[in-house]
Amino acid sequence: MSAETDFLRRLFDAAVDAARPARIVADHLPAAPAGRVVVIGAGKASAAMAAELERRWPGPLEGLVITRYGHEEPCARIEIASASHPVPDEAGAAAAARTLELVSGLTEDDLVIALISGGGSALMPLPAPGLTLADKQAVNRALLASGASIDEMNCLRRHLSAIKGGRLAAAAFPARMVTLMISDVPGDDPINIASGPTVADPTTLADARAIVAKYGLELAPQVAAALEDPANESVKPGDPRLARAEAHVVAAPMASLEAAAELARAEGYLPEILGDDLEGEAREMGRAMARQALALKAAGRAGLLISGGETTVTLPKDGREIGAGGRNVDFLLGLAEVLDGAPGIHALAADTDGVDGATEVAGAVIGPDTVARAAAAGYPLARALERFDGHGYFEAAGAQVVTGPTRTNVNDFRAILIAP
């Protein structure tokens, strides 16, 4: 591992560590109630959040949280259910139904603590009446391939759900509900974290239909009908059933970027944080940032560009064979294409949850020799670009970043190092 790669990896690790539940949950726990304490939740970080809550909570509690397969954490009093992400499965639907049952029939003396993090939308896939899990799966696959932003995806998901868009909090009324959220979305809007099961939703069915039209999504007749049914409108701001519900974002992307920048400054670098909410086509963003890095290099300036956010990948519909990819590796493909082996520029892009796309690889690193190494291994960059096969490409180059489940999720982390 080169010194540059080691440095970039340590920046990424600092960003992840800043968002670990063991660092953040304890400072946000509510006071104990007179009645029961029920813990619920969903997301890639939810099991780790539950484990930390158990360690810190002095009295009795019970509950159920849903996490991605492989992201479990042992708990004694809170049940950990596992389900599929990014495409939902029956295990997630069953656990979501049980979650609704757990919060039903509570009293105003009871407390519900909801632990919500990125990935919770797919992990809690309870379809609206008249829809099946297969309907939800089909919509999810279409959204993932469409290039829709996370805000747009979640708007559509909320209006096809029996649990999202504030419905879970409404079911818990009159109990008090305190939601602790780890944000993985640009802007940290609680309604977009796991599609907002415990917060009010200002978006409407009309908004959801507009997203379908914008991306030309082909929906089954029953799904299209559900988006016309007023009964599927989400819970709106001012609804009295949310009067005792509060939500707190306890970890967010910017704090993680700042942790990485602090480490960089301690080692003598001058980092520039470009933003924690960058969106757009991953590959095009990679090309744009490559041009920015080359401009700094041409001016004789050293630099460290750090950014976060959630890009999108729009897959082609021309029937070509598609490989294994994700937002971060697609970003790096675009970056490598424009850099074209430029000396002195290294980069890392990875997802802080350890999973880029649906592959158990967080992302990758590139340096001046990456394209040449991949070509020597028989994988030219042009073919990877055509097949959207970032994971296959960086595996061939020996440049993957593999962390295993980090049990947190504050979105993507990107860093580009320009040597003087």
Side-chain angles (χ1 to χ4, degrees):
M1 181 184 294
S2 70
E4 294 87 356
T5 296
D6 175 71
F7 172 66
L8 292 170
R9 180 58 190 267
R10 287 188 288 111
L11 292 182
F12 175 63
D13 291 344
V16 172
D17 287 343
R20 292 194 187 278
R23 288 179 174 267
I24 54 179
V25 168
D27 292 337
H28 299 276
L29 297 182
R36 298 165 57 195
V37 179
V38 178
V39 180
I40 58 172
K44 296 174 188 175
S46 63
M49 295 172 79
E52 185 63 18
L53 172 58
E54 272 201 351
R55 283 191 285 269
R56 302 285 185 169
W57 194 260
L61 52 76
E62 58 189 295
L64 167 69
V65 303
I66 313 164
T67 195
R68 189 180 193 265
Y69 294 120
H71 292 238
E72 301 86 355
E73 192 87 1
C75 289
R77 292 172 284 170
I78 302 169
E79 180 185 351
I80 306 299
S82 304
S84 174
H85 180 278
V87 177
D89 65 2
E90 292 286 356
R98 290 174 56 209
T99 299
L100 272 182
E101 292 173 4
L102 268 177
V103 302
S104 300
L106 297 178
T107 74
E108 61 184 13
D109 290 330
D110 300 325
L111 170 67
V112 178
I113 303 176
L115 307 174
I116 303 296
S117 66
S121 189
L123 293 166
M124 195 181 278
L126 194 61
L131 300 182
T132 66
L133 179 60
D135 294 327
K136 294 275 285 184
Q137 290 169 329
V139 171
N140 219 46
R141 290 190 186 97
L143 284 169
L144 290 170
S146 69
S149 70
I150 190 62
D151 291 14
E152 292 169 325
M153 290 185 189
N154 285 338
C155 175
L156 191 53
R157 289 165 173 164
R158 286 192 295 272
H159 289 93
L160 297 173
S161 175
I163 197 169
K164 296 161 191 162
R167 295 176 180 89
L168 182 56
F173 186 80
R176 181 187 178 207
M177 174 172 278
V178 175
T179 301
L180 306 183
M181 295 180 145
I182 294 181
S183 171
D184 70 325
V185 297
D188 307 326
D189 188 344
I191 193 58
N192 284 320
I193 304 171
S195 297
T198 64
V199 297
D201 177 24
T203 69
T204 65
L205 284 164
D207 294 326
R209 293 192 297 268
I211 292 164
V212 172
K214 177 180 177 181
Y215 293 99
L217 301 179
E218 296 181 6
L219 302 182
Q222 64 273 23
V223 176
L227 293 177
E228 298 284 351
D229 187 350
N232 290 326
E233 193 56 86
S234 52
V235 181
K236 296 293 177 264
D239 190 299
R241 295 171 296 173
L242 303 186
R244 304 195 69 210
E246 58 190 86
H248 307 277
V249 175
V250 300
M254 183 54 80
S256 286
L257 298 186
E258 289 173 345
E262 181 179 359
L263 173 61
R265 284 189 287 269
E267 299 198 13
Y269 295 89
L270 294 175
E272 179 182 356
I273 297 178
L274 302 179
D276 68 339
D277 57 354
L278 304 189
E279 297 181 272
E281 281 291 321
R283 189 173 298 184
E284 290 305 316
M285 184 180 293
R287 290 167 174 152
M289 287 195 182
R291 289 188 286 270
Q292 185 175 359
L294 288 171
L296 287 172
K297 186 74 175 175
R301 294 172 55 195
L304 176 62
L305 307 176
I306 298 175
S307 65
E310 184 160 344
T311 59
T312 54
V313 178
T314 304
L315 296 177
K317 299 179 181 179
D318 55 11
R320 77 181 74 168
E321 181 184 0
I322 300 297
R327 300 187 303 264
N328 291 285
V329 290
D330 208 60
F331 167 86
L332 289 172
L333 289 178
L335 189 78
E337 180 186 32
V338 173
L339 289 179
D340 193 27
I345 301 179
H346 297 75
L348 177 149
D351 198 317
T352 55
D353 63 12
V355 181
D356 188 30
T359 303
E360 303 295 321
V361 177
V365 292
I366 67 168
D369 64 342
T370 302
V371 172
R373 283 191 287 114
Y379 208 151
L381 178 59
R383 184 155 69 93
L385 286 162
E386 181 183 7
R387 298 184 65 242
F388 287 78
D389 189 28
H391 286 309
Y393 181 78
F394 290 110
E395 181 180 17
Q400 291 181 311
V401 173
V402 180
T403 62
T406 64
R407 294 174 175 81
T408 191
N409 186 9
V410 284
N411 223 321
D412 299 335
F413 175 86
R414 296 177 292 269
I416 303 173
L417 176 64
I418 303 102

